[in-house]
Amino acid sequence: MPSTRNCAEPAKRARAFGLACGRLTPGPRNAITDVPGVRVGHVTLDKGAIQTGVTAILPHAGNLYRDKPVAAAEVLNGFGKSVGLMQVEELGALETPILLTNTLSVGTASTGLVRHAIAANPDIGRSTATVNPVVMECNDGPLNDIQALAVTEAHAAAALAAALSEADGAEIAVGSVGAGRGMSCFGFKGGIGTSSRRLKLDGRRHHLGVLVLANFGRPGELRLPDGRRVAPPEKDDAPEKGSVIVIAATDVPLDHRQLRRVIRRAGVGLARVGSFWGHGSGDIALGFTTANRIDHDERADLIPLRMLNEHRIDRLFEAMADATQEAVLDALAAATPVAGRDGASRPCLSDTLTPDMLTAGSTP
């Protein structure tokens, strides 16, 4: 049976290995859920050759179709099969939760999101507009029997339910869970990672949080925060053909253009860990702000919109770069062993790091 637990056995995260990034202070959980209202849920499929799953990210626990967070997407390299990004970029808003899964399960997860939205909004496609589901993916085929099409609509619904059941700001499971179950990264076991940064604007505390689905990077090119490279025990010369999905959340009020500028800095964090966004890699960032929302049933002709003073946006650029870098290292540090299709496996970074690597070049 699939697991729908959000909090697995506590995983050692990046900072437990001294792999902190940047000078900014993380939020209390160092997670995307430090942004108030954001929730994350996983369904993990772990049965023989089936090593995959679904991860759900909810910007808030209300009706997203009716109360749409301002959002933006940035494609660093478009070798991917995501659903919904075109409308996010055109209209600048999210109207469903975000689901992450494997490449061949995007359609199934998308249908699951549509059913979820219709259940809460029976007027969809009848007396009001249709709905734009957002699903993003990475290819877990090396470890998971992706041709089995094991992910079902029920799994998508269960991941959404798991997220909804969580309290605001709850700890989330990372590593080899949910959509990250069968992922690989720099020749190591990859998966789900997260990190956040705390910001003060006009005397008030805000957060920017990042969650990654890490499935990218050429073996031997992983860089620690001090710049040293780490290679798996058996390095090969395989081309860069994985993918990474970066989801950013913030409670800083941004407009669509500013949000896209911020999430573009995910590329800085990915480059720091050793990626160059290879030809066969799908490297995509999607971000949203909970501080600006669009009312589906708005009747006014003109509506107010708050935005950040552009002269302060460097603070968010830095936070985005650092949190992305650390979220990738978090996925690697927390990953646990997975034996998948035809006995395939990946070594865990935590088994490769030597004691002298645990603190060098890090800032606690």
Side-chain angles (χ1 to χ4, degrees):
M1 295 293 291
S3 168
T4 58
R5 291 180 61 203
N6 278 4
C7 298
E9 291 297 319
K12 271 196 171 184
R13 299 185 58 195
R15 293 200 171 212
F17 294 95
L19 302 178
C21 302
R23 64 185 181 87
L24 300 178
T25 303
R29 298 164 194 83
N30 195 16
I32 194 171
T33 50
D34 286 326
V35 178
V38 176
R39 291 167 167 82
V40 175
H42 303 293
V43 164
T44 303
L45 306 184
D46 172 15
K47 186 176 181 181
I50 305 302
Q51 300 293 330
T52 191
V54 182
T55 294
I57 302 101
L58 275 63
H60 62 74
N63 188 329
L64 284 158
Y65 184 75
R66 250 52 212 201
D67 189 13
K68 312 173 198 288
V70 168
E74 176 73 7
V75 177
L76 301 174
N77 195 68
F79 205 112
K81 286 78 179 171
S82 300
V83 166
L85 300 186
M86 181 170 62
Q87 183 170 312
V88 169
E89 265 307 282
E90 183 69 21
L91 301 185
L94 272 177
E95 53 188 35
T96 71
I98 302 159
L99 292 185
L100 308 178
T101 189
N102 72 63
T103 305
L104 298 188
S105 297
V106 169
T108 300
S110 177
T111 302
L113 274 180
V114 170
R115 293 191 193 281
H116 176 79
I118 289 174
N121 304 275
D123 55 341
I124 285 176
R126 296 190 184 278
S127 57
T128 192
T130 57
V131 65
N132 182 53
V134 174
V135 184
M136 307 174 79
E137 54 79 28
C138 292
N139 180 4
D140 58 12
L143 293 180
N144 171 51
D145 182 4
I146 198 168
Q147 290 187 0
L149 302 177
V151 172
T152 67
E153 290 180 36
H155 295 139
L160 292 167
L164 281 167
S165 70
E166 286 300 306
D168 190 12
E171 300 283 350
I172 65 173
V174 291
S176 306
V177 295
R181 180 66 187 176
M183 302 300 171
S184 306
C185 191
F186 291 102
F188 295 101
K189 181 68 190 68
I192 297 288
T194 190
S195 188
S196 71
R197 295 297 181 269
R198 194 167 65 202
L199 305 158
K200 185 169 280 189
L201 298 164
D202 288 337
R204 297 183 61 185
R205 182 171 292 180
H206 297 270
H207 290 90
L208 182 144
V210 167
L211 181 143
V212 300
L213 179 60
N215 188 60
F216 70 108
R218 233 165 29 188
E221 298 198 348
L222 173 65
R223 290 181 177 86
L224 299 183
D226 68 347
R228 284 181 296 168
R229 293 188 179 187
V230 183
E234 296 182 10
K235 189 179 75 169
D236 59 40
D237 295 321
E240 162 64 289
K241 59 180 180 180
S243 297
V244 58
I245 303 300
V246 182
I247 307 297
T250 186
D251 56 357
V252 176
L254 305 171
D255 67 7
H256 167 76
R257 179 189 58 81
Q258 289 181 322
L259 192 53
R260 190 174 187 195
R261 293 190 71 201
V262 170
I263 64 172
R264 190 175 294 143
R265 271 61 186 184
V268 177
L270 298 177
R272 286 177 184 169
V273 295
S275 175
F276 55 88
W277 320 328
H279 164 69
S281 185
D283 306 311
I284 301 170
L286 186 147
F288 59 86
T289 172
T290 60
N292 280 332
R293 301 185 189 180
I294 298 170
D295 183 352
H296 180 80
D297 301 302
E298 180 64 62
R299 293 291 178 256
D301 292 330
L302 301 174
I303 58 175
L305 178 69
R306 291 191 304 155
M307 59 185 290
L308 181 69
N309 179 346
E310 207 88 353
H311 296 294
R312 307 291 188 267
I313 202 167
D314 274 354
R315 302 179 193 180
L316 276 80
F317 289 171
E318 183 178 1
M320 185 72 203
D322 291 349
T324 301
Q325 178 187 10
E326 188 166 325
V328 172
L329 295 171
D330 198 55
L332 286 158
T336 51
V338 169
R341 179 176 61 86
D342 298 328
S345 64
R346 295 289 185 272
C348 293
L349 179 64
S350 58
D351 294 333
T352 303
L353 293 175
T354 57
D356 66 302
M357 292 179 179
L358 301 185
T359 56
S362 67
T363 54

